[in-house]
């Protein structure tokens, strides 16, 4: 049974008050609010109220967030930049590249808009952006074979930019194989793990990537306003951002306006004042998902999604996500004749979902149970006219 995956998973639902009112299966947009994250915001307000401006302590909180994320991905604290968003970290990284000798950036067609837009902005500085196109399939929403990366990654490629899980169809890319291709041709690899982090175990050493960006608001159970950029240790000192801020300096207390001397660590990818309230929440979220267990969460959610897929199949619907659990994240997309309308009618019945690319997105997490999935399937049966048919 799903509930047997982990005692922590089975018992965590009570930590999320939203389930007293709603069926929440929209973690790919925002994780549900836990008691510990709410308490973290209360702690921030109390510290602010009682201590006025406890900046030394707040900086300690930023360091705690850095260490927590490093542990999560198998890295070291000095390899992690604490940012306000994935966009901020990737933009700082992009500013380090000189495109004169290696102008090419290879971007998959599965990427989130911010990633593609950041790299296309580098065309103004001489970059050449090429997209690895997906193949449309009737039952998986699209795939990108490894051969398509092989055809486009060449000796002129500076960087390959990948998503761990596609936000539009839940598909996973063969990251390790793509990294091997890129490194063999002298290119670096950035992995956008926003739709993956917290939903299955991630280890940067095993993946072999050079950079990994993520945020805290989805499966890490925190809130908007906090992101991270991990950079492989030996690379940081070779990359000099021109997009910067005072927290990227070698010593933020020097307050030197006559010099640019970035930190020798990944802190050089940071910017201005850290997002302190979101850091409190981020630490609480990371601690909670670590307590629940990410590996156990993966087992639990995979079983829930198998139940969902079987239910959609019984209704004659279209699952626009790969069937193989190893080829998908925690997100399952379902074909719809009118996805915005379907999200609306489900919401009116207390079932919180989202939509992209004409598909309904359903994304359970550790706190969901089989009855949540059954409610979704029953609602789809009631609104079968909004369900695309296979």
């Amino acid at each position: 049974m799903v509930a047997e995956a982990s005692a922590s998973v089975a018992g965590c639902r009570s930590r999320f008050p939203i389930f007293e009112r709603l069926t929440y299966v929209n973690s790919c947009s925002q994780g549900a609010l836990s008691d510990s994250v709410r308490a973290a915001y209360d702690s921030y307000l109390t510290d602010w109220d009682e201590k006025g401006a406890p900046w030394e302590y707040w900086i300690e909180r930023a360091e705690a967030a850095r260490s927590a994320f490093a542990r999560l991905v198998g890295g070291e604290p000095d390899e992690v930049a604490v940012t306000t968003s994935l966009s901020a970290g990737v933009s700082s990284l992009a500013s380090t590249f000189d495109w004169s000798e290696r102008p090419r950036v290879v971007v998959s067609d599965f990427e989130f808009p911010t990633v593609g837009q950041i790299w296309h902005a580098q065309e103004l500085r001489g970059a050449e952006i090429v997209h690895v196109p997906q193949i449309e399939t009737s039952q998986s929403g699209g795939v990108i074979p490894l051969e398509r990366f092989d055809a486009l990654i060449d000796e002129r490629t500076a960087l390959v930019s990948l998503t761990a899980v596609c936000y539009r169809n839940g598909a996973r890319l063969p990251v390790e194989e793509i990294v091997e291709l890129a490194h063999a041709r002298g290119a670096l690899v950035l992995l956008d793990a926003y739709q993956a982090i917290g939903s299955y175990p991630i280890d940067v050493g095993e993946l072999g990537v050079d950079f990994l960006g993520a945020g805290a608001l989805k499966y890490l159970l925190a809130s908007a306003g906090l992101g991270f950029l991990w950079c492989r240790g030996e690379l940081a000192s070779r990359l000099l951002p021109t997009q910067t801020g005072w927290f990227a300096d070698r010593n933020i207390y020097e307050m030197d306006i006559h010099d640019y001397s970035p930190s020798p660590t990944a802190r050089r990818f940071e910017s201005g004042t850290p997002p302190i309230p979101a850091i409190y929440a981020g630490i609480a979220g990371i601690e909670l998902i670590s307590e629940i267990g990410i590996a156990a969460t993966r087992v639990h959610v995979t079983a829930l999604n198998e139940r969902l897929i079987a239910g959609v199949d019984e209704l004659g619907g279209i699952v626009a996500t790969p069937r193989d659990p190893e080829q998908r994240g925690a997100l399952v997309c379902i074909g719809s004749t009118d996805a915005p309308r379907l999200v609306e009618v489900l919401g009116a019945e207390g079932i919180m979902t989202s939509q992209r690319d004409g598909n309904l997105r359903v994304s359970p997490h550790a706190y969901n149970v089989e009855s949540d999935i059954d409610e979704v399937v029953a609602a789809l049966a009631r609104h079968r006219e909004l369900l695309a048919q296979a």
Side-chain angles (χ1 to χ4, degrees):
M1 295 293 291
V2 173
E4 296 173 354
S6 164
S8 295
V9 170
C12 77
R13 187 176 174 91
S14 62
R15 306 284 300 273
F16 301 86
I18 195 170
F19 292 102
E20 297 171 8
R21 301 176 291 107
L22 300 170
T23 299
Y24 191 81
V25 282
N26 191 28
S27 298
C28 61
S29 295
Q30 169 73 65
L33 176 62
S34 68
D35 53 7
S36 58
V37 168
R38 181 179 289 277
Y41 271 109
D42 288 341
S43 294
Y44 163 71
L45 294 172
T46 298
D47 288 342
W48 184 14
D49 185 39
E50 294 182 352
K51 302 172 186 176
W55 273 103
E56 289 187 0
Y57 176 68
W58 283 343
I59 291 173
E60 288 177 10
R61 292 288 78 200
E63 293 306 310
R66 188 190 316 280
S67 296
F69 187 79
R71 288 192 298 272
L72 202 66
V73 299
E76 297 295 328
D78 278 349
E79 296 177 317
V80 175
V82 179
T83 66
T84 55
S85 64
L86 181 143
S87 299
V90 174
S91 291
S92 180
L93 174 64
S95 76
T96 69
F97 283 88
D98 175 357
W99 305 111
S100 57
E101 293 186 8
R102 283 180 170 261
R104 176 169 287 198
V105 179
V106 174
V107 181
S108 91
D109 266 353
F110 280 174
E111 305 310 303
F112 190 75
T114 196
V115 174
Q117 290 161 9
I118 287 169
W119 294 121
H120 276 286
Q122 293 299 306
E123 290 174 321
L124 300 173
R125 299 179 56 233
E128 170 196 326
I129 315 303
V130 296
H131 286 253
V132 187
Q134 69 182 47
I135 297 174
E136 298 292 341
T137 63
S138 60
Q139 284 291 315
S140 71
V143 296
I144 306 179
L146 183 63
E147 299 77 45
R148 293 203 165 187
F149 287 92
D150 191 17
L152 291 175
I153 301 170
D154 60 16
E155 287 69 23
R156 299 171 65 249
T157 303
L159 184 84
V160 179
S161 188
L162 305 173
T163 185
V165 176
C166 177
Y167 80 104
R168 292 184 289 106
N169 66 5
R172 291 173 63 175
L173 289 169
V175 174
E176 294 95 327
E177 291 90 340
I178 297 168
V179 168
E180 185 177 353
L181 275 175
H183 286 174
R185 292 161 197 180
L188 301 172
V189 179
L190 164 69
L191 183 67
D192 171 5
Y194 217 134
Q195 280 287 2
I197 194 79
S199 70
Y200 63 81
I202 289 177
D203 187 294
V204 289
E206 292 178 2
L207 292 173
V209 296
D210 302 291
F211 313 100
L212 181 145
L217 67 85
K218 300 179 188 289
Y219 301 101
L220 290 185
L221 303 176
S223 63
L226 178 62
F228 300 96
L229 180 70
W230 174 86
C231 170
R232 187 155 50 83
E234 63 269 25
L235 281 176
S237 61
R238 292 162 38 191
L239 300 169
L240 194 63
T242 57
Q243 177 171 305
T244 190
W246 70 301
F247 267 77
D249 198 68
R250 63 185 177 189
N251 182 352
I252 64 172
Y253 297 108
E254 282 184 349
M255 302 291 187
D256 187 355
I257 65 171
H258 301 95
D259 179 60
Y260 172 47
S261 297
S263 168
T265 73
R267 290 170 176 82
R268 63 177 49 203
F269 299 110
E270 295 181 10
S271 183
T273 302
I276 300 300
I279 284 172
Y280 274 69
I283 294 170
I286 291 172
E287 288 177 348
L288 179 55
I289 191 58
S290 298
E291 175 188 332
I292 293 168
I294 294 176
T297 293
R298 174 63 174 170
V299 173
H300 177 79
V301 171
T302 297
L304 292 178
N305 281 335
E306 289 294 306
R307 190 180 187 90
L308 173 63
I309 290 169
V312 173
D313 285 345
E314 287 183 11
L315 295 174
I318 296 173
V319 176
T321 297
R323 296 288 177 134
D324 182 350
E326 294 303 310
Q327 294 180 11
R328 66 171 189 259
L331 168 65
V332 170
C333 294
I334 300 164
S336 175
T337 58
D338 187 343
R341 176 62 180 158
L342 183 53
V343 170
E344 181 182 354
V345 298
L346 292 179
E349 296 181 4
I351 301 172
M352 300 295 103
T353 59
S354 57
Q355 59 87 24
R356 293 288 187 277
D357 250 21
N359 297 316
L360 180 75
R361 302 196 306 174
V362 178
S363 50
H365 200 10
Y367 36 59
N368 290 108
V369 293
E370 290 177 347
S371 60
D372 294 334
I373 301 304
D374 294 343
E375 287 186 32
V376 172
V377 173
L380 293 176
R382 289 193 297 274
H383 302 285
R384 197 183 294 252
E385 76 281 2
L386 295 173
L387 193 65
Q389 296 298 302

